[in-house]
Amino acid sequence: MKNYSLDTIVSLAKRRGFVFQSSEIYGGLNGCWDYGPLGVELLNNIKQAWWKSMTYREDIEGIDASILMHPMVWEASGHIENFTDPMVDCRECKARFREDQIEESECGNKAFKGRKATKCMEEGKFTEARKFNLMFKTFIGAVESDDSVVYLRPETAQGIFVNFNNVRESSRQKIPFGISQIGKAFRNEINTKNFLFRTREFEQMEMQYFVKPGTDESEYEKWKEERLRWWQELGIKRERLRLSPHPQDKLAHYAKAAVDIEFEFPFGFGEIEGIHNRSDFDLKQHSEYSGKKLEYFDDVTKQRYIPFVIETSAGASRGFMAFLCNAYDEDEAPTAEGKLEKRSVLRFHPKLAPVKCAVFPLVNRDGLQEIARNITNDLKKNFNVFYDESGAIGRRYRRQDECGTPYCVTVDYDTLKDNSVTIRERDSMKQERINKDLVKKYISENTD
Ligand code: ATP
């Protein structure tokens, strides 16, 4: 497996319209990114694949809770007290570091480019560590006072916990069952870095599975395997994934057990999803702070209890970056003159590919364009399709390879004779001829 540099992937992402810097014309905003025309399709396809796998089943319901929540939610969850990172400042260059990430950081003084931050620390330039709360604050209503402070949610999970009774009662679910949600989360990270890996605004795909105490450990194991499988089903090889359990003494305040699923990024392995056994911490806390009972009555065993929670918490944005890095490859493709030229290709799983099919007329005359347009219009009813009539065919293929389009359909002179078109597959570059009326069925069978 080749390891391509992050710079190569970031530059393709910008060139092809996957990701742009936020507010770029004003110099950008640190830790924020915009998804371009292809990026938003890829992101939606990732979220859709997750949603189908995690909600279209009997035991899981979906919700979409609001981003702003009652401030007591964050008291109860422990975020006001504990959602902090230890921060140190350099007295000399004024750079700010997360104390636990100093080893991976560089000195903030541009004149000393490449100098390790650990060196500055050894020279005694850093202040003592202070706790820095990562939640963004704002005000609700017309008056800006201490009473009107609200937070942009730093995770989607709490919207699920506070809706436990609502969802269970309205959907008549019985334990074990889960609630899933996809949505934006905000963290005022001390240092943002590595493109979409650590940003201040990002999206999460979270599911909380409510189980009977005592069954939590086996459910935790089950979800660990199930989530590991999901990333592989969408094209990530097992050797680029690793499970990294949290040691008992490093567990978050709510966790009984935790493991990260990590992906091998160009800069090394990094977490893309956390699986946590959250015990009964969350429902207990919210019961206590709200005064509302959040428990379950089993009408068969007549037992009443507070369920334990197994959480699967994946990053849609980090996942996007993992799928992009996983897909990027370079190889050689034949030119019209029979030579070989370098090509960059995004080998996305067809389910995730932003454009499912591109349609080309071989030349722009003799009615080939009309046929190609008709095929495009028909496909457009079901898929994101791209019509391209400019440049040599080889060039058009190269463009689609860089966008990760799994199939290209070419209308040529044989189409006029026998209604057949060429369909070319991105990875093998193999071409076959099929009847133009079967293209839709072919794309549907091979991309869904
Ligand atoms: P890290 O240790 O990298 O800060 P975390 O353990 O705080 O992450 P969780 O709170 O478990 O992360 O969040 C679940 C998922 O949300 C992560 O696996 C990741 O995919 C995503 N995520 C968390 N923080 C960020 C961020 N700042 N930018 C992008 N994605 C993030």
Short mmCIF file of all heavy atoms in Angstrom, two decimals, residues 35-47 320 351-356 383-384:
data_model
loop_
_atom_site.label_atom_id
_atom_site.label_comp_id
_atom_site.label_asym_id
_atom_site.label_seq_id
_atom_site.Cartn_x
_atom_site.Cartn_y
_atom_site.Cartn_z
N TYR A 35 -17.52 22.45 2.34
CA TYR A 35 -17.58 21.34 1.38
C TYR A 35 -18.08 21.87 0.04
O TYR A 35 -19.12 22.51 -0.02
CB TYR A 35 -18.51 20.24 1.90
CG TYR A 35 -17.96 19.57 3.13
CD1 TYR A 35 -18.23 20.06 4.40
CD2 TYR A 35 -17.13 18.45 3.02
CE1 TYR A 35 -17.69 19.47 5.53
CE2 TYR A 35 -16.59 17.85 4.15
CZ TYR A 35 -16.87 18.36 5.39
OH TYR A 35 -16.34 17.78 6.51
N GLY A 36 -17.33 21.59 -1.02
CA GLY A 36 -17.70 22.05 -2.36
C GLY A 36 -18.67 21.09 -3.03
O GLY A 36 -19.17 20.15 -2.39
N PRO A 37 -18.92 21.30 -4.34
CA PRO A 37 -19.93 20.49 -5.04
C PRO A 37 -19.71 18.97 -4.92
O PRO A 37 -20.66 18.23 -4.69
CB PRO A 37 -19.81 20.94 -6.50
CG PRO A 37 -19.23 22.32 -6.41
CD PRO A 37 -18.34 22.35 -5.20
N LEU A 38 -18.48 18.50 -5.07
CA LEU A 38 -18.26 17.05 -4.94
C LEU A 38 -18.21 16.64 -3.48
O LEU A 38 -18.65 15.55 -3.10
CB LEU A 38 -16.96 16.62 -5.64
CG LEU A 38 -16.94 16.70 -7.16
CD1 LEU A 38 -15.66 16.08 -7.71
CD2 LEU A 38 -18.14 16.00 -7.78
N GLY A 39 -17.67 17.53 -2.64
CA GLY A 39 -17.54 17.23 -1.21
C GLY A 39 -18.89 17.01 -0.55
O GLY A 39 -19.07 16.07 0.24
N VAL A 40 -19.84 17.88 -0.87
CA VAL A 40 -21.14 17.75 -0.21
C VAL A 40 -21.82 16.44 -0.62
O VAL A 40 -22.50 15.79 0.18
CB VAL A 40 -22.03 19.00 -0.45
CG1 VAL A 40 -22.47 19.12 -1.89
CG2 VAL A 40 -23.24 18.98 0.45
N GLU A 41 -21.60 16.01 -1.86
CA GLU A 41 -22.17 14.72 -2.31
C GLU A 41 -21.52 13.57 -1.54
O GLU A 41 -22.21 12.67 -1.06
CB GLU A 41 -21.93 14.51 -3.81
CG GLU A 41 -22.80 15.35 -4.71
CD GLU A 41 -24.29 15.02 -4.62
OE1 GLU A 41 -24.64 13.84 -4.40
OE2 GLU A 41 -25.10 15.95 -4.76
N LEU A 42 -20.18 13.62 -1.43
CA LEU A 42 -19.48 12.54 -0.72
C LEU A 42 -19.94 12.50 0.74
O LEU A 42 -20.26 11.44 1.28
CB LEU A 42 -17.96 12.77 -0.81
CG LEU A 42 -17.09 11.82 0.01
CD1 LEU A 42 -17.29 10.36 -0.40
CD2 LEU A 42 -15.60 12.17 -0.14
N LEU A 43 -19.99 13.67 1.37
CA LEU A 43 -20.41 13.74 2.77
C LEU A 43 -21.83 13.19 2.94
O LEU A 43 -22.10 12.40 3.84
CB LEU A 43 -20.32 15.19 3.27
CG LEU A 43 -20.61 15.41 4.74
CD1 LEU A 43 -19.55 14.73 5.62
CD2 LEU A 43 -20.63 16.91 5.09
N ASN A 44 -22.73 13.62 2.05
CA ASN A 44 -24.11 13.11 2.14
C ASN A 44 -24.17 11.60 1.95
O ASN A 44 -24.95 10.92 2.62
CB ASN A 44 -25.00 13.79 1.08
CG ASN A 44 -25.40 15.19 1.51
OD1 ASN A 44 -25.34 15.52 2.69
ND2 ASN A 44 -25.79 16.03 0.57
N ASN A 45 -23.34 11.09 1.03
CA ASN A 45 -23.36 9.64 0.80
C ASN A 45 -22.85 8.87 2.02
O ASN A 45 -23.35 7.80 2.35
CB ASN A 45 -22.55 9.27 -0.45
CG ASN A 45 -23.20 9.80 -1.71
OD1 ASN A 45 -24.38 10.15 -1.72
ND2 ASN A 45 -22.43 9.90 -2.79
N ILE A 46 -21.83 9.44 2.69
CA ILE A 46 -21.31 8.80 3.91
C ILE A 46 -22.42 8.79 4.97
O ILE A 46 -22.71 7.77 5.60
CB ILE A 46 -20.07 9.55 4.45
CG1 ILE A 46 -18.90 9.43 3.46
CG2 ILE A 46 -19.66 9.04 5.83
CD1 ILE A 46 -17.72 10.35 3.76
N LYS A 47 -23.05 9.95 5.15
CA LYS A 47 -24.09 10.06 6.18
C LYS A 47 -25.27 9.13 5.86
O LYS A 47 -25.84 8.50 6.73
CB LYS A 47 -24.56 11.52 6.32
CG LYS A 47 -23.47 12.41 6.93
CD LYS A 47 -23.95 13.78 7.31
CE LYS A 47 -24.24 14.66 6.14
NZ LYS A 47 -24.55 16.05 6.53
N PHE A 320 -15.04 11.43 6.45
CA PHE A 320 -14.88 11.97 5.09
C PHE A 320 -13.40 11.99 4.72
O PHE A 320 -12.99 11.55 3.66
CB PHE A 320 -15.45 13.39 5.08
CG PHE A 320 -15.32 14.16 3.79
CD1 PHE A 320 -16.40 14.32 2.96
CD2 PHE A 320 -14.12 14.76 3.43
CE1 PHE A 320 -16.30 15.05 1.77
CE2 PHE A 320 -14.00 15.49 2.26
CZ PHE A 320 -15.10 15.63 1.44
N LYS A 351 -20.86 3.24 -3.66
CA LYS A 351 -21.93 3.81 -2.83
C LYS A 351 -21.58 5.23 -2.39
O LYS A 351 -22.44 6.06 -2.17
CB LYS A 351 -22.09 2.97 -1.57
CG LYS A 351 -23.37 2.24 -1.48
CD LYS A 351 -23.51 1.63 -0.10
CE LYS A 351 -24.43 0.44 -0.24
NZ LYS A 351 -24.52 -0.37 0.91
N LEU A 352 -20.29 5.49 -2.19
CA LEU A 352 -19.86 6.79 -1.67
C LEU A 352 -19.50 7.79 -2.76
O LEU A 352 -19.46 9.00 -2.53
CB LEU A 352 -18.65 6.64 -0.73
CG LEU A 352 -18.82 5.75 0.50
CD1 LEU A 352 -17.58 5.80 1.37
CD2 LEU A 352 -20.03 6.19 1.33
N ALA A 353 -19.23 7.29 -3.96
CA ALA A 353 -18.74 8.17 -5.04
C ALA A 353 -19.70 9.35 -5.25
O ALA A 353 -20.91 9.16 -5.34
CB ALA A 353 -18.61 7.37 -6.32
N PRO A 354 -19.16 10.58 -5.32
CA PRO A 354 -20.03 11.76 -5.47
C PRO A 354 -20.79 11.77 -6.79
O PRO A 354 -21.95 12.14 -6.83
CB PRO A 354 -19.07 12.95 -5.40
CG PRO A 354 -17.73 12.42 -5.08
CD PRO A 354 -17.74 10.93 -5.16
N VAL A 355 -20.12 11.36 -7.87
CA VAL A 355 -20.79 11.26 -9.17
C VAL A 355 -20.81 9.78 -9.52
O VAL A 355 -19.78 9.12 -9.47
CB VAL A 355 -20.01 12.05 -10.25
CG1 VAL A 355 -20.66 11.90 -11.62
CG2 VAL A 355 -19.90 13.52 -9.86
N LYS A 356 -21.98 9.25 -9.86
CA LYS A 356 -22.08 7.81 -10.10
C LYS A 356 -21.70 7.46 -11.53
O LYS A 356 -21.23 6.37 -11.80
CB LYS A 356 -23.50 7.31 -9.83
CG LYS A 356 -24.02 7.61 -8.44
CD LYS A 356 -23.21 6.92 -7.37
CE LYS A 356 -23.76 7.21 -5.98
NZ LYS A 356 -22.75 7.08 -4.94
N PHE A 383 -29.66 9.51 -10.10
CA PHE A 383 -28.27 9.60 -9.63
C PHE A 383 -27.68 10.97 -9.92
O PHE A 383 -28.19 11.69 -10.77
CB PHE A 383 -27.38 8.57 -10.36
CG PHE A 383 -27.97 7.23 -10.49
CD1 PHE A 383 -28.55 6.81 -11.68
CD2 PHE A 383 -27.96 6.35 -9.42
CE1 PHE A 383 -29.11 5.55 -11.81
CE2 PHE A 383 -28.51 5.10 -9.54
CZ PHE A 383 -29.09 4.69 -10.73
N ASN A 384 -26.55 11.24 -9.24
CA ASN A 384 -25.77 12.41 -9.60
C ASN A 384 -24.91 12.04 -10.81
O ASN A 384 -24.05 11.16 -10.72
CB ASN A 384 -24.90 12.85 -8.42
CG ASN A 384 -24.32 14.22 -8.64
OD1 ASN A 384 -24.89 15.04 -9.36
ND2 ASN A 384 -23.19 14.50 -8.02
#
